[in-house]
Amino acid sequence: MSTATVEAARPGVESVLKELCLTALAGLALTVPLVTYQTIDDVGGLQLASRWGSTVFIVVMLVLGRFGIILLRTPGRETWVTIGGGIAALIGLLDLFRDGMAHLLGIISWPAITPTYTLSFLTGVGGAILAIRAVVQVSQRNSSMTKADRDARTEAIGEQVRKLVKVFAALAVVFALTLPFLPFSNRYVIDVATLIVTYVMLGWGLNIIVGYAGLLDLGFVAFYAVGAYSYALAAQHLGISFWLALPFAGLLAASFGLILGFPVLRLRGDYFAIVTLGFGEIVRIVLINWYDVTNGPDGISGIPRPDFFGLASMTRNGSDGLPPFHEYFGLEYSSEHRIIFLYYLIVVMAALVALFTVRIRKLPIGRAWEALREDDIACASLGINRTTIKLAAFGISAAWGGFAGAFFATRQGFISPESFTFIESAIILAIVVMGGMGSLVGIAIAALLLIGLPEVFRDLAEYRMVAFGAGLVMIMIWRPRGLLSHREPSVLLANRPPPGPGRPSARPVAAAGEAAE
């Protein structure tokens, strides 16, 4: 690249200053309401404390990070960005090590160390990202590889990633089955794992209608609520056990899915999403106002726990004429028996959803969903009944949501409309999009990140949801199609192998609408 070209590519001082000032203003607008002011419980009552030092530090780091990005736009400046980013990453790492050792030695308590620990983490991560980006940019510019060579390398890397994903999935299954018996396992770990697997099941259920059929459903929490309330009401008023009420909850949720699906069959895009959002809010408002049935905002408490398949009770002294679980199997009593049983119950339910999804995707109805996702009009021109296909997607997806809702009710023992707000639908949808629509392994990883990490960082209090949002933003920037967006073709023509390294001409013929990676 000539010197004249480099000089022309350099941004002017005025434009740089303008961009940095806008960055500082945006940082202040976001940081002041989230970080600057904090309410503390003091002797005289609630007091408002300010943290302008942390605010200024965050804004300065944002401006420096933006300046690094500006430098990357000009060829030849990558070395300065690499050095600056490396220094920031090293400083953040050293601060993390210092604060961690001080906490372990008991010199500083965790509440006192939380702000500095968070700032050090952000400094280290931000500097590392800038340094890595600069190095990658230099390597790409100096590389002599053609576009075809880069595509071949990308395909080879993708092939290795797909093999690793299969190995990871097998290891994850083994880990899930042995988790309650691992040395570090305790009641809290099992509870968090149960919550994560519940959201994995919800993500796989929503994946049918969003990932396969391509219909943006913003009211999936309504089916979750229907399943929870149907079991709670059936157990309390009719005395039905969990095992009998579970299929009933799924069927009732599927019925609601058909009720929602039928009137919105002619809608597409944003209009369809708005209607499903409204349906979710209608269900929540009905739960709040139909006090005689749902007990309104007070919720339903005392929901029965499931027994061990009608053989033993999971209570300490037994119930309903069933012996206690520990006496039935000759074990010493432990309060963790019920927690472990519920964990394995949701693992089995999620496994059934996974097996069902893998199987149905290869059936004609699964391929029709994918055709519908890619092109609605072309799908109709092929003679596919779009009405039946959409209703099937709604019904099946809602049924899995109902099953998960029934489990949620029996696990919690208490439900209320506050558990089924729009934010739940948004989290489940974020899991599907972040994992990669149609990817079961990707959705499981996304659930682990979006549900597990906020639990791990629960001690960070107000920073917890900031980290949640930052994670979503980074995924949308670097992996806009999801963590694992690749899906194997549903059907191959004449048993021809899928494309891979050394097989550029072996192109599979996928089902109608299968996304090409």
Side-chain angles (χ1 to χ4, degrees):
M1 185 177 294
S2 63
T3 305
T5 305
V6 172
E7 292 293 335
R10 289 177 179 173
V13 176
E14 182 179 351
S15 63
V16 170
L17 292 176
K18 180 179 179 181
E19 188 169 347
L20 294 180
C21 290
L22 291 176
T23 301
L25 291 175
L28 282 173
L30 293 174
T31 308
V32 169
L34 294 174
V35 177
T36 304
Y37 293 103
Q38 179 186 26
T39 55
I40 57 176
D41 190 4
D42 205 348
V43 178
L46 288 178
Q47 303 292 331
L48 190 64
S50 61
R51 295 176 291 185
W52 282 105
S54 299
T55 302
V56 172
F57 180 82
I58 293 175
V59 172
V60 170
M61 294 306 298
L62 287 174
V63 171
L64 291 177
R66 191 65 184 179
F67 184 66
I69 294 176
I70 293 173
L71 290 179
L72 288 177
R73 298 174 187 167
T74 305
R77 301 290 189 182
E78 293 87 352
T79 303
W80 296 103
V81 178
T82 304
I83 295 174
I87 293 174
L90 182 61
I91 292 174
L93 180 62
L94 292 176
D95 285 345
L96 288 176
F97 178 76
R98 181 200 63 191
D99 295 340
M101 291 302 298
H103 174 60
L104 291 176
L105 296 175
I107 300 174
I108 305 177
S109 63
W110 180 253
I113 205 177
T114 296
T116 58
Y117 198 86
T118 305
L119 296 178
S120 300
F121 177 79
L122 293 177
T123 302
V125 172
I129 291 175
L130 274 178
I132 293 173
R133 182 171 177 178
V135 171
V136 171
Q137 185 168 311
V138 171
S139 63
Q140 288 180 347
R141 188 174 70 246
N142 297 333
S143 175
S144 59
M145 296 178 61
T146 63
K147 185 178 184 302
D149 294 334
R150 287 196 297 269
D151 292 341
R153 186 180 66 174
T154 302
E155 180 62 34
I157 294 175
E159 186 70 20
Q160 296 299 322
V161 169
R162 289 190 285 274
K163 293 179 181 178
L164 291 176
V165 165
K166 294 178 181 179
V167 175
F168 172 81
L171 293 177
V173 171
V174 174
F175 177 80
L177 294 177
T178 59
L179 175 62
F181 307 102
L182 295 178
F184 61 84
S185 180
N186 54 38
R187 186 185 182 111
Y188 173 74
V189 172
I190 298 174
D191 268 335
V192 173
T194 303
L195 180 64
I196 293 173
V197 178
T198 303
Y199 276 91
V200 170
M201 179 177 176
L202 288 169
W204 286 344
L206 182 60
N207 181 57
I208 292 176
I209 191 170
V210 175
Y212 290 160
L215 304 173
L216 182 57
D217 186 359
L218 297 180
F220 188 72
V221 72
F223 312 128
Y224 190 36
V226 168
Y229 270 88
S230 60
Y231 165 64
L233 294 174
Q236 284 202 340
H237 298 291
L238 302 178
I240 300 177
S241 68
F242 172 79
W243 304 109
L244 293 178
L246 183 62
F248 171 73
L251 290 175
L252 187 60
S255 301
F256 271 78
L258 297 178
I259 292 173
L260 170 62
F262 186 76
V264 300
L265 294 179
R266 296 181 180 274
L267 300 178
R268 282 182 285 179
D270 298 338
Y271 303 101
F272 181 89
I274 291 172
V275 171
T276 57
L277 172 62
F279 180 78
E281 287 300 298
I282 289 172
V283 171
R284 186 180 66 86
I285 292 173
V286 168
L287 295 177
I288 293 176
N289 292 280
W290 200 3
Y291 195 90
D292 294 337
V293 176
T294 64
N295 209 25
D298 296 335
I300 301 176
S301 60
I303 300 175
R305 308 288 189 179
D307 53 45
F308 188 75
F309 306 107
L311 300 175
S313 173
M314 299 307 297
T315 60
R316 181 165 189 169
N317 299 319
S319 61
D320 299 329
L322 297 177
F325 177 84
H326 63 283
E327 290 184 3
Y328 185 83
F329 288 96
L331 303 173
E332 184 178 354
Y333 173 76
S334 173
S335 60
E336 292 187 2
H337 288 162
R338 179 177 60 85
I339 306 299
I340 296 175
F341 172 66
L342 290 175
Y343 168 74
Y344 278 117
L345 175 59
I346 190 60
V347 167
V348 171
M349 292 173 64
L352 292 176
V353 176
L355 292 175
F356 176 85
T357 304
V358 170
R359 178 58 182 165
I360 200 171
R361 181 176 173 266
K362 298 180 180 180
L363 296 178
I365 187 173
R367 298 197 295 274
W369 284 338
E370 294 178 338
L372 180 69
R373 177 193 64 207
E374 297 302 325
D375 196 321
D376 197 347
I377 298 176
C379 179
S381 68
L382 293 174
I384 297 176
N385 190 331
R386 292 179 294 175
T387 301
T388 305
I389 294 302
K390 288 183 179 181
L391 287 178
F394 265 106
I396 296 174
S397 179
W400 294 125
F403 290 139
F407 174 81
F408 173 79
T410 193
R411 172 178 177 262
Q412 295 293 113
F414 170 79
I415 56 174
S416 69
E418 294 181 356
S419 302
F420 308 103
T421 58
F422 168 71
I423 188 63
E424 290 296 318
S425 287
I427 291 175
I428 301 170
L429 181 62
I431 289 173
V432 175
V433 175
M434 178 178 174
M437 293 190 294
S439 173
L440 298 184
V441 178
I443 291 173
I445 297 174
L448 179 63
L449 295 176
L450 293 184
I451 305 301
L453 286 184
E455 290 296 325
V456 172
F457 292 107
R458 180 172 291 276
D459 291 333
L460 296 180
E462 68 268 21
Y463 296 98
R464 193 162 63 101
M465 295 311 294
V466 175
F468 177 86
L472 289 180
V473 170
M474 288 190 290
I475 288 296
M476 292 301 101
I477 292 175
W478 286 297
R479 296 291 296 175
R481 297 185 62 185
L483 293 173
L484 297 174
S485 58
H486 176 83
R487 295 183 300 277
E488 295 294 335
S490 300
V491 176
L492 298 176
L493 181 62
N495 295 322
R496 299 174 71 179
R503 298 195 303 271
S505 62
R507 296 181 56 84
V509 178
E514 178 63 32
E517 190 67 21

